[in-house]
């Protein structure tokens, strides 16, 4: 949505009202939707430098870097808070602005709920209500959400018309709430913030199924405090990060029989055993009616290609980075009603994200330099490929 903004000198300029990104499945920084093909996130200098010096071989496995923007808080006449982006001069030019308002409508409704909920966090209210609605006989933990596509009370526009029904993951809204709260309490109202612009890697998918995997056996950066280092080492030791070099940080998988996403969060991933991790991978590839076996080979093929690239990157350590596995919950039209393939190939995508703690020779603030490729990342990729191969051979 385009909005009018003004500089401190009163000069009018065009801004873009950012929407919460409804397919964020993991991470703690809020990911925002800039337009249909672009998302943005708070700028961290180390991550920006990584994208700007990205090795050519890795470009096919990372989101396209599109530059930076400045962002500030804005409150409308109804008291709704939003983030408005002003493109920097080097980024200005034609851009496609989304006309889709479902994300904004959902967020504004949650803000309205805050004032009348008696202090109960609106997201908690919403999650509890829909957990009970979906499964009245059982209580869902905070690690699992069954989300119906029609959430009519949350997607009505200002005139009461129901917007296009769609399913979304609550994790991104939680991150957005936390981020706005932090901006409101820690910074002046007119503070400008820098954000990175990145490719929206799920824009081409109708029902994007996303698995967010925290890769490697170590998650703290070289600059971590002793307290943070100990905390991350404990998380790794108590999860599959230690024994597999990979753990689940979040996921959403479209269930075609119920027409909604099944979502899991990082708390679920931390508790998994090795066998639980294998079962979770199986669940990620299951659409509620069958295992999408046709996806196994292309996923493994891309993971092997990434493994080859990582092995060639001497000195890189991708601490605390994630790996996304993406496919469409909407099956290709070439598949027949009986589930047999008539030659159609399901598209899958593998992308590395989150490089705030990545270090390599030549990064100006490196505390320690390393030789050879990242052993923890390689260990995780090898185990991930092996588990997927075991699933394939078991079918």
């Amino acid at each position: 949505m385009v909005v009018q903004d003004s500089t401190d000198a009163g000069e009018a300029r065009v801004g873009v009202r950012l929407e919460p990104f409804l397919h964020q499945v993991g991470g703690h920084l809020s990911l925002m939707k800039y337009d249909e093909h672009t998302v943005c996130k708070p700028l961290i200098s180390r991550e920006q430098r990584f994208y700007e010096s990205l090795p050519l071989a890795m470009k096919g496995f990372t989101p396209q870097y599109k530059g930076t923007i400045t962002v500030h808080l804005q409150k409308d006449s109804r008291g709704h808070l939003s983030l408005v982006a002003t493109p920097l001069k080097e980024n200005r030019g034609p851009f496609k602005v989304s006309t889709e308002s479902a994300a904004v409508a959902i967020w504004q409704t949650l803000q309205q709920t805050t004032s009348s909920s008696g202090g109960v966090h609106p997201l908690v209210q919403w999650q509890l209500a829909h957990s009970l609605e979906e499964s009245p006989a059982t209580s869902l933990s905070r690690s699992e959400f069954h989300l119906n596509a029609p959430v009519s009370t949350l997607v009505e526009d200002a005139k009461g018309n129901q917007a296009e029904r769609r399913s979304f993951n609550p994790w991104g809204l939680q991150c957005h709430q936390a981020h706005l709260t932090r901006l409101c309490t820690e910074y002046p109202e007119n503070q400008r913030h820098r954000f990175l612009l990145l490719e929206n890697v799920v824009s081409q998918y109708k029902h994007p199924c996303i698995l967010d995997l925290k890769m490697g056996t170590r998650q703290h950066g070289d600059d971590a405090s002793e307290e943070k280092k100990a905390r991350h080492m404990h998380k790794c030791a108590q999860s599959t990060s230690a024994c597999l070099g990979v753990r689940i940080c979040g996921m959403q998988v479209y269930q075609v029989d119920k027409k909604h996403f099944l979502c899991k969060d990082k708390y679920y991933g931390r508790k998994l055993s090795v066998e639980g991790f294998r079962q979770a991978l199986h669940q990620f590839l299951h659409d509620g009616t069958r295992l999408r076996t046709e996806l196994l080979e292309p996923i493994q093929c891309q993971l092997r290609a990434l493994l080859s690239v990582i092995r060639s990157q001497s000195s890189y350590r991708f601490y605390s980075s994630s790996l996304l596995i993406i496919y469409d919950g909407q099956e290709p039209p070439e598949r027949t009603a009986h589930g047999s393939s008539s030659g159609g190939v399901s598209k899958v995508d593998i992308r590395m994200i989150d490089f705030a703690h990545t270090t390599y020779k030549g990064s100006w603030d490196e505390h320690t330099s390393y030789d050879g490729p990242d052993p923890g990342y390689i260990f995780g990729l090898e185990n991930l490929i092996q588990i997927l191969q075991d699933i394939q051979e078991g079918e």
Side-chain angles (χ1 to χ4, degrees):
M1 183 184 297
V2 177
V3 295
Q4 281 294 116
D5 190 18
S6 61
T7 64
D8 294 335
E11 176 189 353
R13 60 186 176 186
V14 175
V16 178
R17 179 168 290 124
L18 302 177
E19 300 180 7
F21 184 61
L22 297 183
H23 293 297
Q24 180 176 356
V25 303
H28 66 279
L29 289 179
S30 178
L31 199 62
M32 305 295 292
K33 180 179 174 182
Y34 180 78
D35 63 28
E36 285 298 320
H37 303 287
T38 312
V39 297
C40 58
K41 61 184 293 191
L43 185 151
I44 296 174
S45 297
R46 185 190 289 263
E47 185 168 35
Q48 181 186 18
R49 290 192 295 273
F50 171 82
Y51 277 112
E52 290 177 342
S53 62
L54 187 67
L56 184 62
M58 293 185 63
K59 289 197 172 181
F61 293 102
T62 56
Q64 179 190 357
Y65 172 60
K66 299 187 177 186
T68 65
I69 52 173
T70 59
V71 172
H72 66 279
L73 275 173
Q74 189 175 87
K75 185 181 292 187
D76 66 16
S77 59
R78 292 176 293 176
H80 293 153
L81 281 174
S82 60
L83 286 171
V84 175
T86 305
L88 297 178
K89 290 180 180 178
E90 62 265 29
N91 298 128
R92 287 178 184 168
F95 56 84
K96 182 179 178 182
V97 177
S98 168
T99 58
E100 192 172 66
S101 60
V104 170
I106 291 166
W107 175 243
Q108 290 181 347
T109 301
L110 290 174
Q111 290 193 77
Q112 288 174 330
T113 309
T114 307
S115 61
S116 59
S117 62
V120 179
H121 194 291
L123 284 168
V124 175
Q125 279 193 331
W126 180 85
Q127 289 167 356
L128 179 60
H130 285 269
S131 294
L132 294 174
E133 175 185 306
E134 265 303 301
S135 184
T138 59
S139 175
L140 294 178
S141 71
R142 66 173 175 169
S143 302
E144 179 173 334
F145 305 95
H146 296 266
L147 299 173
N148 279 329
V151 190
S152 59
T153 58
L154 294 179
V155 293
E156 290 184 350
D157 61 21
K159 297 180 181 179
N161 299 318
Q162 188 170 310
E164 178 185 356
R165 290 180 170 187
R166 57 181 57 223
S167 182
F168 65 93
N169 193 309
W171 188 259
L173 291 176
Q174 289 181 326
C175 294
H176 187 56
Q177 168 73 30
H179 188 213
L180 281 187
T181 300
R182 190 163 58 250
L183 292 181
C184 289
T185 57
E186 296 181 10
Y187 298 95
E189 186 175 341
N190 60 350
Q191 176 79 35
R192 265 27 184 191
H193 307 271
R194 295 285 294 276
F195 274 49
L196 293 178
L197 285 172
L198 298 169
E199 172 191 4
N200 176 1
V201 297
V202 303
S203 62
Q204 61 187 300
Y205 299 97
K206 182 175 177 63
H207 298 299
C209 299
I210 308 166
L211 180 64
D212 186 329
L213 298 169
K214 189 71 73 174
M215 299 300 297
T217 53
R218 169 180 159 178
Q219 300 304 325
H220 62 276
D222 289 329
D223 57 345
S225 65
E226 288 302 314
E227 184 274 332
K228 187 173 183 180
K229 178 179 177 181
R231 191 171 71 247
H232 281 282
M233 289 177 68
H234 178 73
K235 288 178 185 177
C236 288
Q238 297 298 312
S239 69
T240 55
S241 292
C243 54
L244 293 178
V246 55
R247 76 170 182 258
I248 290 175
C249 196
M251 85 175 189
Q252 65 179 38
V253 53
Y254 190 68
Q255 305 293 279
V256 297
D257 54 337
K258 297 177 181 176
K259 300 192 185 314
H260 69 199
F261 282 110
L262 170 64
C263 305
K264 301 289 181 73
D265 65 19
K266 65 181 182 181
Y267 304 105
Y268 163 84
R270 287 179 191 170
K271 295 183 291 186
L272 292 176
S273 63
V274 172
E275 176 57 24
F277 181 86
R278 190 200 72 79
Q279 292 175 5
L281 277 186
H282 188 281
Q283 184 175 43
F284 173 65
L285 297 168
H286 201 286
D287 67 6
T289 62
R290 70 178 189 90
L291 184 69
R292 296 282 298 274
T293 53
E294 75 278 8
L295 301 171
L296 284 162
E297 188 54 43
I299 290 174
Q300 291 176 74
C301 183
Q302 288 203 34
L303 288 174
R304 292 188 191 102
L306 174 60
L307 178 58
S308 177
V309 168
I310 297 299
R311 283 173 171 161
S312 70
Q313 302 307 314
S314 180
S315 86
Y316 278 81
R317 295 296 181 270
F318 302 100
Y319 298 138
S320 197
S321 70
S322 285
L323 182 67
L324 301 182
I325 300 179
I326 309 163
Y327 70 90
D328 204 329
Q330 178 73 34
E331 294 193 47
E334 290 82 359
R335 289 195 77 83
T336 68
H338 299 290
S340 61
S341 176
S342 58
V345 178
S346 296
K347 175 175 171 54
V348 300
D349 206 356
I350 305 293
R351 299 295 183 105
M352 300 173 69
I353 60 168
D354 297 340
F355 303 104
H357 301 288
T358 293
T359 184
Y360 50 94
K361 286 182 180 176
S363 53
W364 69 271
D365 60 346
E366 60 182 295
H367 294 259
T368 308
S369 60
Y370 300 91
D371 293 320
D374 188 334
Y377 204 107
I378 290 173
F379 179 62
L381 278 178
E382 289 175 337
N383 283 320
L384 180 59
I385 292 168
Q386 183 60 56
I387 293 171
L388 288 167
Q389 186 176 323
D390 292 344
I391 292 174
Q392 185 175 25
E393 292 173 353
E395 293 304 314

